[in-house]
């Protein structure tokens, strides 16, 4: 593959029109990633539209947008509408647990999109805006993931990486009005730029990512490790770009300051986790046993969800072991710190959803596809039914992570 900035070639060929130059930067792997994403998105949207005809009882006559407005999607909409004071007359101590980046994006788009109805849909409806944001953000994320997979795993790995992710059980949260797609649309290009030694651009993209999810903290720390140990880090570019790496921490500081002005609490985010979900720091065996009992010693509506959480935790531990053996220190920092925070909580919650953000996992599967294509195909085939189950669970109002 030729480099984008091949100076000898540039000297021998005329400079194309600006529009043509931009178009020429689109690579075959980009088009493939966009095609896979477009097909998956259209298929999922159509599936959710028609499945109530097959399973009318579990959908209870809810409209299409109501099927997507579940759990945290509703919280994000309420934050975009009312801010951190919450819905009037419905006090909720858990509001500060949600970072402001995604609700602010919904609110800003709601302000500029006209209140027009097309086919019965109100264009400024936050539920519709959330789906549209995820569509665009998901496309950006898939292109970046494909490029990263190609860079890390060689030809063909980018395509396989994208397919593995979209066939994964947590993929439903890429399509829904959740913050995962927006985070990945910022974090994946940031990581790709860092791997190329473009530290200022990487930091500028990682900064808004830190305002979208607490995961941005782990990304910021992983960027520091990448700068320290990576091929295009301090040894290649010197120490001068290091100052940029402080930038991704500023949204975290700004959000803490904002919540302090509201509540007088610098740790409002953490205390909201405790007040809203009874999540606090415990020994890992305590968290494991609490989740084990919920998954295998009880039988109620969240039993399956807790089993999925335990499986996801096992995948995370195996992934960390894989990254440790390969000495992928930046990726281990990113995944390992997330996993530690999740496994030291009172019980496992949203570990399965966090898998969506572990791009080293999906790249590892993409690389596996080159060496063991039959095993890769079997993993993807086995994953698809669980992805459908998660999609059905979420859009029918069940807890999916």
């Amino acid at each position: 593959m030729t480099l984008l900035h091949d100076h000898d070639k540039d000297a021998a060929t005329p400079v194309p029109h600006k529009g043509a130059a931009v178009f020429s930067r689109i690579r075959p792997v980009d088009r493939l990633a966009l095609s896979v994403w477009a097909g998956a998105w259209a298929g999922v949207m159509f599936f959710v539209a028609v499945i109530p005809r097959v399973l009318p009882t579990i959908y209870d006559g809810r409209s299409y947008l109501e099927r997507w407005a579940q759990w945290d999607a509703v919280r994000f909409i309420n934050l975009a509408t009312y801010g951190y004071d919450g819905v009037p007359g419905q006090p909720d101590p858990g509001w500060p647990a949600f970072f402001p980046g995604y609700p602010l994006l919904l609110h800003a788009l709601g302000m500029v999109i006209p209140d027009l109805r097309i086919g019965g849909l109100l264009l400024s409806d936050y539920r519709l805006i959330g789906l549209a944001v995820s569509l665009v953000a998901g496309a950006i994320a898939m292109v970046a993931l494909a490029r990263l997979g190609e860079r890390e795993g060689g030809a063909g790995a980018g395509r396989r990486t994208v397919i593995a992710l979209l066939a994964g059980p947590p993929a439903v949260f890429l399509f829904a009005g959740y913050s995962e797609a927006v985070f990945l649309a910022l974090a994946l290009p940031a990581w790709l730029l860092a791997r190329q030694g473009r530290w200022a651009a990487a930091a500028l993209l990682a900064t808004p990512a830190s305002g979208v999810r607490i995961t941005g903290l782990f990304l910021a720390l992983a960027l520091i490790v990448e700068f320290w140990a990576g091929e295009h880090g301090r040894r290649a570019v010197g120490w001068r770009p290091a100052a940029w790496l402080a930038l991704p921490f500023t949204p975290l500081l700004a959000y803490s300051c904002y919540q302090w002005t509201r509540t007088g609490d610098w740790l409002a985010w953490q205390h909201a986790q405790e007040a809203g979900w009874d999540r606090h720091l415990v020994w890992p065996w305590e968290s494991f046993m609490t989740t084990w009992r919920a998954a295998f010693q009880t039988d109620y509506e969240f039993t399956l969800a807790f089993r999925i959480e335990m499986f996801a935790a096992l995948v995370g531990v195996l992934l960390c072991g894989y990254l440790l053996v390969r000495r992928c220190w930046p990726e281990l920092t990113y995944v390992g710190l997330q996993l530690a925070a999740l496994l030291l909580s009172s019980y496992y919650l949203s570990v399965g959803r966090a898998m969506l953000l572990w791009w080293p996992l999906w790249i590892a599967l993409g690389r596996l596809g080159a060496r063991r294509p039959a095993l890769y195909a079997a993993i993807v085939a086995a994953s698809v039914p669980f992805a459908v189950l998660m999609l059905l669970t979420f859009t029918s109002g069940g807890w999916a992570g």
Side-chain angles (χ1 to χ4, degrees):
M1 183 181 293
T2 58
L3 298 177
L4 288 178
H5 301 290
D6 189 334
H7 298 292
D8 295 333
K9 186 175 180 180
D10 287 347
T13 55
V15 177
H17 184 270
K18 183 177 180 180
V22 171
F23 183 79
S24 68
R25 292 174 185 268
I26 298 177
R27 307 171 187 175
V29 71
D30 301 343
R31 289 191 286 270
L32 212 94
L34 288 172
S35 297
V36 173
W37 169 248
W41 186 87
V44 165
M45 294 297 150
F46 179 75
F47 180 84
V48 175
V50 301
I51 194 63
R53 294 182 178 273
V54 181
L55 301 170
T57 55
I58 68 171
Y59 284 93
D60 197 26
R62 278 173 290 191
S63 70
Y64 186 80
L65 290 180
E66 287 174 339
R67 294 169 215 161
W68 285 107
Q70 307 288 352
W71 300 98
D72 288 357
V74 177
R75 288 180 175 271
F76 285 127
I77 290 172
N78 286 335
L79 279 171
T81 305
Y82 303 106
Y84 282 96
D85 291 332
V87 181
Q90 299 179 26
D92 186 340
W95 288 118
F98 296 88
F99 273 43
Y102 183 69
L104 282 173
L105 177 60
L106 290 182
H107 182 76
L109 291 173
M111 294 288 289
V112 299
I113 294 175
D115 293 330
L116 295 178
R117 287 190 178 274
I118 298 179
L121 292 176
L122 181 64
L123 295 184
S124 58
D125 189 324
Y126 283 134
R127 297 172 299 178
L128 184 61
I129 293 173
L131 293 178
V133 166
S134 292
L135 169 62
V136 176
I140 297 170
M142 292 307 101
V143 169
L145 180 63
R147 288 193 178 193
L148 191 58
E150 205 88 345
R151 177 184 176 86
E152 304 293 330
R159 163 179 51 85
R160 290 188 293 267
T161 298
V162 170
I163 291 172
L165 172 61
L166 293 178
V172 58
F173 297 106
L174 273 182
F175 304 100
Y178 271 54
S179 60
E180 275 77 4
V182 174
F183 177 81
L184 286 175
L186 295 165
L188 282 168
W191 191 255
L192 184 60
L193 289 166
R195 297 287 282 173
Q196 297 170 348
R198 299 165 65 181
W199 293 102
L204 288 171
L205 279 175
T207 299
S210 294
V212 171
R213 297 183 60 84
I214 187 61
T215 320
L217 170 62
F218 309 122
L219 172 64
L221 294 171
L223 286 173
I224 292 175
V225 178
E226 175 67 24
F227 181 78
W228 177 264
E231 178 185 0
H232 297 287
R234 61 186 174 86
R235 289 188 293 269
V237 300
W239 287 99
R240 192 170 184 178
W244 286 101
L245 299 180
L247 203 57
F249 293 95
T250 56
L252 306 172
L253 178 60
Y255 183 57
S256 295
C257 290
Y258 168 72
Q259 290 295 352
W260 176 77
T261 63
R262 290 186 63 252
T263 65
D265 185 1
W266 287 100
L267 298 177
W269 177 85
Q270 178 60 38
H271 295 152
Q273 292 279 341
E274 297 172 0
W277 293 268
D278 193 28
R279 299 180 73 186
H280 49 273
L281 190 66
V282 300
W283 292 109
W285 51 85
E286 294 179 33
S287 180
F288 175 84
M289 288 308 302
T290 300
T291 309
W292 177 273
R293 286 191 291 268
F296 298 105
Q297 296 180 5
T298 60
D299 186 12
Y300 69 131
E301 60 178 319
F302 296 113
T303 297
L304 176 61
F306 278 115
R307 291 178 181 178
I308 293 172
E309 298 289 355
M310 295 206 72
F311 174 77
L314 175 61
V315 171
V317 171
L318 294 175
L319 175 61
C320 287
Y322 168 81
L323 295 173
L324 179 63
V325 169
R326 292 182 57 87
R327 299 185 178 183
C328 300
W329 309 123
E331 291 86 349
L332 181 59
T333 300
Y334 175 70
V335 176
L337 290 177
Q338 287 183 64
L339 189 64
L342 291 165
L343 300 193
L344 294 175
S345 181
S346 303
Y347 52 92
Y348 299 173
L349 180 67
S350 298
V351 185
R353 178 147 55 101
M355 289 175 61
L356 195 61
L357 309 179
W358 299 345
W359 61 78
L361 170 64
W362 311 110
I363 291 174
L365 288 174
R367 297 178 68 173
L368 176 67
R371 300 191 308 272
R372 304 283 297 275
L375 179 58
Y376 167 83
I379 291 172
V380 170
S383 180
V384 168
F386 291 97
V388 174
L389 175 62
M390 293 287 278
L391 178 62
L392 284 170
T393 301
F394 178 80
T395 55
S396 62
W399 175 251

